[in-house]
Amino acid sequence: VLGTDDLYKYVEKYHMKLDPFYQKSLTFYPKRNFSKYITPDNQHLCSDEALDLLSKMLVYDHVERILPQEALKHPYFNLSLIHISEPTRLLSISYAVFCLKKK
């Protein structure tokens, strides 16, 4: 999903060396947009906010990756986005975040 280009940029940026095993076994993989994994069967589970948050969390470079505190402020966790028709799982996650914010 993240592709190998960004991995190699990360390794080079921080002057790291890949283990020889990975150097031999890694081939080129293009970065793929998360929306390519949405199908008619799962599209009701995927919101634009969820995909945006996922794209900010799944980043090789730890400096560019969203911090947990920033992630909790992401619109994905906005209670106004919850509708009765959405899965209970989302309600549970959002309610837990709401309770954490109150503390």
Side-chain angles (χ1 to χ4, degrees), residues 88-99:
T88 305
R89 176 183 53 80
L90 179 58
L91 284 169
S92 299
I93 292 171
S94 297
Y95 181 74
V97 171
F98 175 74
C99 290

Side-chain angles (χ1 to χ4, degrees), residues 11 16-26:
V11 167
M16 299 169 17
K17 290 191 177 193
L18 283 177
D19 184 275
F21 171 79
Y22 293 111
Q23 287 178 342
K24 291 177 186 174
S25 60
L26 277 178

